[in-house]
Every structure is written in C-alpha cells, then in structure tokens.
Amino acid sequence: MSYKRIEVQRIAGACGAEVSGVDLGQPLDSATIAEIRAAILDHQVLTFPGQSMDDGSLERFTGYFGAFGLEPFVEGEETHPHVIAVIKEADEQRTPNFGGNWHTDWSFQERPPSFTFLHARELPPYGGDTMFANQYLVWESLSDGLRRMLEGMRAVHSARRPYGPQGIYADRRRARSMKITASEAALAEVTHPVARVHAETDRAALYVNRVYTIRFEGMTERESAPLLDYLYAQAVRPEFTCRIRWQANALTMWDNRAVQHLAVNDYDGFRRELHRTTTAGERPLSVAEARQGRAAA
Ligand code: SIN
C-alpha cells in the first residue's frame, strides 16, 4: 500500500509501524483518516511520535474510527468520561501494573473494542514499553489439524480474574493510582470463537488470552488448561511480536481483533501516565459464520 498523506515506516517483521507527517492534535480530512485506517489494517499497530494532544483531541481522533467503547470497572476522566488514565506512580513498587499480562482489551464483552488508542503524558526515563503480538500470524502458524479442531470451538471469557470480588484489583493496594472498582459484574461470562475472522480484513486470528479466557465452552477449566496454555505460549512467541518504545507525546493505536498486548512493568521508582480510549467493535465472527456471510453476499 502506498500512502500520500502520511509516511509509514514498518518497525518489526510481525507487526507495527511508525507514522509521521500528520498532526493528530488538529482535525483531519477524510483522505488522511482513510489512509490511517488502511495503515492500521495493514500493520495492526501504529505509533505516531510527538503528538501534542489533550483529552479533547484524543476523543476527536478516536471518533474518526467508530463510536466509543464501553469502559467497565475503570472510571473515566471527570471532564472526558471516555478517557481513562493509565497511571503507575513512582512509589507503586513491586505491584502489578495495569495491562501487565498478555491480553486483548475487554474480550469479556459481547462486542469487544475494535481499536484502542493510548497517548503518552508522562514517561519513565527507560522501560514501560508496550509489546504486541500478531494473532493472525499465530493462527497461521498452527497445524492444519489443530486449526480444523479449533475452528469449531468457542471459549468462555470473563473479567473475574482482574476485576471480580476476589480479583487482582479487589486489593486496593494494587494499581491504587487508577480509578478501578472490582465488582460482582465481573463474574458475567460470554463466549467467543477461538478463531475470529476480522470483519474488515477477512483474516482469521487466534482469539484467546491469559487474562480473560477462562475455559473452552463445554469443558472444565482443568480440561481446557493444557491446550489453552499451549496456545498462550504460541500466541506470544518473539517472532510474532513488536515492541513500542514510547516517545514523548506518542499516540499508539492497535487493532484488538488482530493483536494481543502487554505493558512491560520494568520501571519501578518512576511515574508513567498515558490516556486511553477505545472504539466499540462487532461481535466476533467464527470461521464458519464468515464463510456463510461470504456465500450469502
Ligand atoms: C493497556 O493494556 O491498555 C495498557 C497498555 C500500556 O499501558 O502500555
């Protein structure tokens, strides 16, 4: 794909690109937005260094890619409720950080967010990178036999491990600088296909993650664990990943339908603050549903 409005530089073999030549703090025309959309579908993760943005311009940029997603368990900013502040203070040491395990955003929702946007406000002098893993490549790396089996399977997702009454964040000492409320609502379960087909690219991706996937549908947690553990390990093999080293005022966006991510927790003693929004996504489609849709079209 060639771009006229933006410059796009790939940063790793698996996914990720750095974008320049655009000021996200200003309103954008439809041709530029279309190019950014094409670039995110091509590269799954885009980072735009040096973007001077406040919460208002972050919301405006998010709005170019769809309606806002629902942000459960984490309270939004008072003046901009769709924006959540991802913060770890310098004195929060030896404590889990927000997003510090490989996951796909809010996969416990019926319609999990398609895109997430994260804008850097204050960064540690080193560390605090965000890693991504391309789940299309992971799916394509599995054997034909395993893919055939997984194609017909669904998995149960829930927010209970982080946000349930016994969850990680029920302990108020954890991620205490964020406005997180653990609750019974986190016990709700939804099922999604283990392989989801992307509504825009029509590519299949593995769609299970360590944080929110509980078990395969129709199986116990114990029965599910060996195969899930294999998939989680495969999902984050180094050759499927890219790593964003945050730069001042960078805005990074990613496509949750195609990647998992993890916030590296290696900057104890320093403050890190980024502001985050999401766009609402669609109900994940299985391989069979996507095939039926194509046949009916
Ligand atoms: C998240 O999981 O949304 C947070 C990622 C980060 O802080 O790098």
Side-chain angles (χ1 to χ4, degrees):
M1 164 93 197
S2 68
Y3 302 95
K4 295 195 175 69
R5 307 294 184 116
I6 54 177
E7 282 115 59
V8 179
Q9 192 80 38
R10 184 82 175 193
I11 59 165
C15 55
E18 183 171 306
V19 182
S20 53
V22 61
D23 180 356
L24 306 185
Q26 299 302 319
L28 300 179
D29 61 35
S30 56
T32 305
I33 297 163
E35 287 204 356
I36 295 172
R37 190 165 198 113
I40 187 74
L41 295 179
D42 272 357
H43 302 284
Q44 299 80 45
V45 180
L46 299 178
T47 191
F48 304 75
Q51 299 294 332
S52 178
M53 295 171 90
D54 57 15
D55 288 345
S57 46
L58 175 59
E59 284 188 339
R60 181 180 56 222
F61 182 63
T62 304
Y64 294 142
F65 298 90
F68 291 112
L70 294 175
E71 307 299 338
F73 311 115
V74 188
E75 204 181 304
E77 294 293 275
E78 213 168 301
T79 49
H80 296 84
H82 300 294
V83 177
I84 66 174
V86 176
I87 300 173
K88 187 172 161 232
E89 296 291 352
D91 65 354
E92 285 182 278
Q93 301 196 17
R94 293 169 180 252
T95 181
N97 61 333
F98 183 77
N101 262 318
W102 283 103
H103 66 286
T104 313
D105 283 334
W106 304 155
S107 74
F108 54 83
Q109 294 183 331
E110 295 275 354
R111 291 177 162 71
S114 43
F115 299 113
T116 300
F117 304 79
L118 199 55
H119 184 245
R121 300 294 165 92
E122 187 175 339
L123 295 171
Y126 52 78
D129 296 354
T130 308
M131 295 186 66
F132 295 88
N134 181 333
Q135 302 302 295
Y136 295 139
L137 297 184
V138 175
W139 178 251
E140 288 155 16
S141 76
L142 302 177
S143 65
D144 290 348
L146 183 54
R147 273 188 293 175
R148 254 195 313 277
M149 184 179 96
L150 293 174
E151 264 181 27
M153 293 172 68
R154 298 179 71 80
V156 176
H157 296 240
S158 149
R160 75 166 199 224
R161 290 192 194 113
Y163 301 108
Q166 317 295 330
I168 293 167
Y169 297 121
D171 178 345
R172 286 302 301 143
R173 286 167 301 181
R174 301 219 162 123
R176 65 170 160 71
S177 47
M178 292 188 58
K179 301 176 196 158
I180 297 179
T181 311
S183 91
E184 298 270 331
L187 304 180
E189 295 184 340
V190 303
T191 70
H192 291 308
V194 172
R196 78 174 287 184
V197 177
H198 194 292
E200 293 177 81
T201 65
D202 209 29
R203 286 179 77 182
L206 184 71
Y207 197 64
V208 288
N209 67 86
R210 260 186 203 290
V211 174
Y212 300 126
T213 307
I214 305 292
R215 61 181 185 279
F216 293 116
E217 187 178 47
M219 290 171 63
T220 65
E221 283 183 47
R222 203 153 156 222
E223 288 166 341
S224 307
L227 181 51
L228 282 175
D229 281 343
Y230 171 78
L231 294 173
Y232 297 151
Q234 189 73 6
V236 300
R237 276 174 36 180
E239 63 269 35
F240 301 135
T241 68
C242 74
R243 186 167 181 133
I244 298 297
R245 175 135 207 251
W246 287 94
Q247 299 180 42
N249 293 318
L251 178 291
T252 298
M253 66 184 286
W254 61 89
D255 187 340
N256 288 296
R257 299 164 294 182
V259 293
Q260 293 197 33
H261 63 282
L262 164 146
V264 182
N265 192 7
D266 62 349
Y267 54 96
D268 268 8
F270 298 106
R271 189 173 194 280
R272 179 179 186 269
E273 175 170 354
L274 300 97
H275 284 203
R276 191 184 107 144
T277 51
T278 62
T279 53
E282 58 279 340
R283 186 177 65 78
L285 284 186
S286 68
V287 172
E289 286 171 319
R291 255 187 227 127
Q292 278 159 17
R294 263 178 249 130

